[in-house]
Amino acid sequence: MKASTVRRVGGRLASLFASLLIALSLAFLLGRLSGDPTATILGPMAPPEQREALRHQLGLDLPVAVQYLDYLKGVLTGDLGQSLQFYQSNTAMIADRLPFTLQLVGAGMALALLVGIPLGVLAATREGTWWDRGASTVALLGQSVPVFWFGMMLVVLFAVQLGWLPAGQSGSPKHLVLPALTMSVYPMAHIARLTRASMSDALAEPYIDSARARGISTHRVVWRHAFTNAMMPILTIVVLQTGILLSGAVAVEYVYSWPGLGQLALQAIQFRDFPLVQAIVVFGALVFVVLNLLVDVLHSIVDPRVR
């Protein structure tokens, strides 16, 4: 392996490790600033002796530096602590809720790709026409509409007024339709705008004119030649948007009472269950680090010039 490649990989890993350490430290700090959890667990009328005993049991009477080192040691060994609210292992609770969030994110991203890429290609291949203006307006609206508001409007229309789909909870494919549609709006708009820009650049390249001059069909020129070369930024944004959806599913899961990680995080914050909040933040940070690394690997595969 070349020395430059080793330096690049080493530098990238060091940067990702530093980002992860900062995220872990912020999660620990914010957990300690959220207040005394013993007041929430025992209630405001609990005697001081009982609260002090609980603080000792939870290790909150130790110096902050010791608590921080114990916290980092636990993360390194895969022990994310125990929930103060549910009295269960945080790792096990995250594992229980993760499939619901992955199901929601997967369906949302699939919808975003199915609509966003054709919309962007349509706008780029008909630049300056009504098709282009219409597609660009749809994409702009998708990025401007608040996800929370859009989800509420879908519930009012399809669940309350028309009665076609359930308003919340999980259990059948019908329950997934509205949350996935809500989840897909922002990434769909982002992917459509980026696809349009990348495709416009690709279609302006001389090799496209050369392909057309050789009599290659328009469909083949667009999808085989232009889209293949416009793929790298689209691929990058798809991976990064997946990470954003995973960590930003709170609003959608709250609107639809979807039993995923976002709903669990909200319950933990309301109860001041900081070990559980920290565990979810640690998981989110790990997902981002892995996805960033995946983006680098994909870049190297698609474009050998970045190796």
Side-chain angles (χ1 to χ4, degrees), residues 120-197:
V121 172
L122 178 71
T125 53
R126 290 168 172 76
E127 199 168 340
T129 66
W130 282 104
W131 287 102
D132 181 18
R133 283 190 281 274
S136 299
T137 303
V138 170
L140 184 62
L141 285 174
Q143 282 192 296
S144 307
V145 172
V147 171
F148 188 86
W149 179 85
F150 184 67
M152 295 296 291
M153 291 303 101
L154 288 181
V155 169
V156 169
L157 179 61
F158 292 103
V160 178
Q161 297 293 332
L162 300 175
W164 291 351
L165 295 166
Q169 301 295 331
S170 63
S172 72
K174 274 189 171 182
H175 288 85
L176 185 60
V177 175
L178 292 183
L181 190 57
T182 307
M183 184 73 94
S184 71
V185 171
Y186 186 83
M188 178 275 293
H190 201 162
I191 289 169
R193 297 188 74 181
L194 187 67
T195 302
R196 183 198 179 282

Side-chain angles (χ1 to χ4, degrees), residues 100-101 104 249-264:
F100 291 97
T101 300
L104 185 59
V250 176
V252 177
E253 292 186 1
Y254 177 75
V255 170
Y256 295 100
S257 302
W258 190 261
L261 281 178
Q263 191 76 254
L264 185 65

Side-chain angles (χ1 to χ4, degrees), residues 62 103 113 183 225:
L62 296 172
Q103 191 180 21
L113 288 171
M183 184 73 94
H225 294 270

Side-chain angles (χ1 to χ4, degrees), residues 193-206:
R193 297 188 74 181
L194 187 67
T195 302
R196 183 198 179 282
S198 299
M199 284 293 292
S200 293
D201 291 343
L203 289 169
E205 293 290 334

Side-chain angles (χ1 to χ4, degrees), residues 7-170:
R7 280 198 301 273
R8 181 174 173 275
V9 172
R12 189 59 181 162
L13 287 176
S15 169
L16 292 175
F17 178 77
S19 303
L20 185 59
L21 186 61
I22 291 171
L24 297 181
S25 303
L26 284 175
F28 175 84
L29 182 63
L30 292 175
R32 295 309 182 279
L33 291 176
S34 65
D36 186 359
T38 60
T40 306
I41 298 170
L42 299 174
M45 305 303 290
E49 298 79 12
Q50 194 176 356
R51 293 176 61 176
E52 195 55 39
L54 183 57
R55 286 177 59 80
H56 178 70
Q57 182 186 342
L58 298 174
L60 298 176
D61 56 344
L62 296 172
V64 175
V66 176
Q67 293 182 46
Y68 179 66
L69 290 176
D70 288 343
Y71 161 65
L72 290 183
K73 194 186 301 178
V75 172
L76 288 175
T77 57
D79 178 13
L80 298 179
Q82 182 173 325
S83 164
L84 301 178
Q85 182 182 7
F86 300 102
Y87 300 104
Q88 296 178 27
S89 162
N90 291 327
T91 308
M93 293 181 68
I94 290 174
D96 285 342
R97 299 293 190 98
L98 182 60
F100 291 97
T101 300
L102 288 179
Q103 191 180 21
L104 185 59
V105 170
M109 184 51 75
L111 278 174
L113 288 171
L114 284 172
V115 178
I117 288 180
L119 203 64
V121 172
L122 178 71
T125 53
R126 290 168 172 76
E127 199 168 340
T129 66
W130 282 104
W131 287 102
D132 181 18
R133 283 190 281 274
S136 299
T137 303
V138 170
L140 184 62
L141 285 174
Q143 282 192 296
S144 307
V145 172
V147 171
F148 188 86
W149 179 85
F150 184 67
M152 295 296 291
M153 291 303 101
L154 288 181
V155 169
V156 169
L157 179 61
F158 292 103
V160 178
Q161 297 293 332
L162 300 175
W164 291 351
L165 295 166
Q169 301 295 331
S170 63

Side-chain angles (χ1 to χ4, degrees), residues 253-285:
E253 292 186 1
Y254 177 75
V255 170
Y256 295 100
S257 302
W258 190 261
L261 281 178
Q263 191 76 254
L264 185 65
L266 277 179
Q267 292 172 356
I269 291 169
Q270 288 167 354
F271 195 77
R272 291 182 184 170
D273 188 351
F274 66 81
L276 182 53
V277 174
Q278 284 175 184
I280 294 172
V281 171
V282 167
F283 175 77

